[in-house]
Structure formats: C-alpha cells, structure tokens
Amino acid sequence: MELRHLKYFLAVAEELSFTKASEKLFISQPPLSRQIMELEEELQAKLFIRNNKKVELTEAGKYFEKEVTALFQHLERISLKTKKIAENVSGEFRIAYISSIYSSVISELIKHLKTQFPYVNFKLFEVSTTKQITALEQGKIEMGIIRSPVKSPKIKAQLWFQDGFSLVYNKQFIQINSEKEIPNLKEETFVFFNKDYAPHYHEVLLELCAFYGFTPKVVHESNNINSIVQLVKNGLGISIVPSNIAQNNPDPDIGFIELKKVNLRTDVSIITSKEDDSEITRSAVEFLLKKE
C-alpha cells in the first residue's frame, strides 16, 4: 500500500464518482479504477459499491475514509512540526544540573526556551558533575550546570557565578548564634555528600572543617543536597551547604550561618560542547548569565 492509493481512495470517496475523481487527480479513469481495485485486494475489503447510476461507500469504506482522513491530517502535522524543528536547530535539547542549584532558575530557563522554541522537546536531568562531563563528551546532553573545574578538550565552560558556603543546622537541636561558635561543633555529627558521588565537593567540605579546627564526624551521606537539608531538619546531624541553598530556603526550623572567615568559594559553571554553536545553546547560556 502506497500513499497514492490512499490519495486516490479519498478523491473517489469525496466525489463519489470515478469520472470526477480522475479529473481532479489529472489521471484517466481506467488507471484510477485499477488503483482502487489493488487497494481493495490488499485490504481484502470492498470499499465502494459501483453501479451504472452511482458510487457509494460500503460500511468498510466509510470506516476507512474516516481513518485515512485522520492519517493525512496527522501527516500534515508531522510535516509542519518537522519544518519547525529544522528551523529551531534540534528536536530535543537535554540539560543536566546538579542538585545544589536552585530549581526555580532552571524552571525559568525552560519557560524561556519553550517560548522561543515551542517545537523543541526540553528534558531535564539531575546528574552529578562527573557524569555530566562524560555525558556531554558522549553527546548525551547538550548543556550542563556543574560545580567544579572542567578538564576536557571537548568542553567549553563558562563561569555562571561563584558560591560561598554556609553551615546548616536545626534550630530545635542546636543553639548557635555566630560563626565564632562553629569550632564548638566538633562533637556533632555531620551529613555530607557522598565522596564517590562528588569527590571534589567532599574534599572542600573537609577543608572547611579543618579551617575551623576539627575533623567532622560524618555519619550520614547523600547524593542530593535537598536530602541533606532534610536529614538536618530531621535532627540527624548538621552540614555545610552552598550559600545558594541557604538564600533560597525559607524553612523556619532550619538555620544557616555563612562561613565568611574562610576564603573558599566554589565555581558554578555552564558547560557545553565546543562544537555546539546552535541557536538554542546560545539562548540558554545567555539567559543564565543574565540571571547573575
């Protein structure tokens, strides 16, 4: 079965006349009749009742007309969307981000991109820095947002913003009023990022604790910043998190103290492929850079 069979069928079904349908299709009547007969033979169904006076659709023909009409409408939508996708560079754009990036900014980014590129399917993935770099090198994502240096000849990294660190604790379990009291927390239990999941970030946290004169007792680990804050809220320990999280957490039970004495900050970068110069990528990067 070919598209021409379906087009010929719809023409006859609309005109209910082989003569008028052949004129509409700019072919002679015998080839048109032959094409319809081939279609009926393939379907093993009679589509038309033919006699000397008129042509009528059978019940099978009425059903087939309805479905074929819907099929052509769908093909038209596919053609239009394909054209729009070609104009918009890509049909799918995948963005990865780390959990410690405030999600509202990511949501704003997607809304911005959807307005500009309505026919592109945008996908979000929460992925660790190490896995993001590998995924970008392998072409599995188009853009990433990470929190550590990048050493890859295939990746272009642009600094988005620099983030400090803050101590996070539950006010009901710990009384602490200033950064001066942090060394008194050496007996407290800590909740940290998993070392294997974010090795660079884990080392930074240990360095921070060393600055205040103690080695943390890490009893709980997690791969997600929101899980860490939740564990702290549940009274399972304290932690050190990016100040970006502290600025956007309104929970009254949670306290944050920014670690200002130590001159240690973390770079949050936008990473893309060096070979990618698409309109979508440029728009996404420009949008984020304007947010800081």
Side-chain angles (χ1 to χ4, degrees), residues 6-267:
L6 302 180
K7 289 179 180 178
Y8 292 165
F9 164 76
L10 286 180
V12 177
E14 182 179 347
E15 300 294 338
L16 292 178
S17 165
F18 279 84
T19 301
K20 291 180 180 180
S22 63
E23 291 173 356
K24 183 178 180 179
L25 295 168
F26 301 103
I27 62 173
S28 61
Q29 186 173 334
L32 175 60
S33 297
R34 186 167 60 252
Q35 295 289 337
I36 296 299
M37 290 178 62
E38 288 178 2
L39 179 61
E40 289 178 322
E41 289 175 5
E42 183 169 350
L43 292 171
Q44 296 185 349
K46 203 73 172 175
L47 300 175
F48 296 100
I49 299 172
R50 308 170 180 82
N51 56 46
N52 294 330
K53 295 182 180 181
K54 60 181 178 178
V55 175
E56 292 182 275
L57 283 164
T58 63
E59 288 302 312
K62 291 176 183 178
Y63 168 79
F64 194 64
E65 180 190 24
K66 178 182 176 182
E67 294 298 320
V68 172
T69 300
L71 173 64
F72 273 96
Q73 290 173 347
H74 185 57
L75 284 173
E76 186 177 354
R77 289 195 296 271
I78 290 174
S79 298
L80 178 61
K81 188 169 182 178
T82 300
K83 181 176 181 294
K84 290 293 183 180
I85 287 172
E87 291 173 352
N88 285 341
V89 183
S90 174
E92 185 173 272
F93 194 84
R94 298 155 295 185
I95 302 172
Y97 64 98
I98 47 177
S99 65
S100 58
I101 297 301
Y102 190 46
S103 60
S104 69
V105 178
I106 307 299
S107 299
E108 290 174 19
L109 170 64
I110 298 302
K111 289 178 183 178
H112 168 75
L113 293 175
K114 287 295 289 183
T115 300
Q116 284 195 309
F117 310 98
Y119 293 94
V120 175
N121 183 23
F122 293 97
K123 292 186 176 181
L124 286 175
F125 305 92
E126 186 180 299
V127 184
S128 70
T129 289
T130 304
K131 291 184 178 179
Q132 279 192 50
I133 293 171
T134 301
L136 189 58
E137 288 177 332
Q138 295 176 350
K140 294 180 179 179
I141 61 173
E142 279 64 54
M143 189 176 83
I145 301 173
I146 65 169
R147 193 184 282 277
S148 72
V150 180
K151 296 179 181 179
S152 171
K154 298 180 179 179
I155 292 176
K156 177 182 178 182
Q158 291 178 264
L159 178 65
W160 184 13
F161 64 91
Q162 286 191 317
D163 204 357
F165 294 92
S166 294
L167 180 81
V168 56
Y169 61 98
N170 188 311
K171 295 177 181 179
Q172 297 179 8
F173 299 102
I174 294 177
Q175 300 298 319
I176 181 169
N177 300 310
S178 70
E179 189 177 1
K180 294 179 181 179
E181 300 176 41
I182 291 178
N184 300 332
L185 301 174
K186 60 183 178 180
E187 298 301 324
E188 297 291 336
T189 57
F190 276 76
V191 183
F192 267 17
F193 262 103
N194 180 274
K195 181 179 180 180
D196 295 330
Y197 182 82
H200 176 77
Y201 189 67
H202 186 88
E203 289 176 9
V204 170
L205 297 182
L206 292 177
E207 188 176 342
L208 284 167
C209 291
F211 176 86
Y212 289 96
F214 65 90
T215 300
K217 295 180 180 179
V218 181
V219 294
H220 297 289
E221 292 185 345
S222 176
N223 295 344
N224 183 283
I225 196 70
N226 297 312
S227 298
I228 289 175
V229 175
Q230 187 61 46
L231 288 170
V232 171
K233 181 178 179 178
N234 293 341
L236 296 177
I238 58 179
S239 188
I240 297 172
V241 299
S243 295
N244 177 64
I245 297 296
Q247 294 167 4
N248 298 288
N249 191 307
D251 195 320
D253 295 331
I254 299 295
F256 293 95
I257 295 179
E258 190 170 1
L259 308 181
K260 296 180 179 179
K261 287 185 178 181
V262 57
N263 186 24
L264 192 60
R265 302 181 71 81
T266 174
D267 290 346

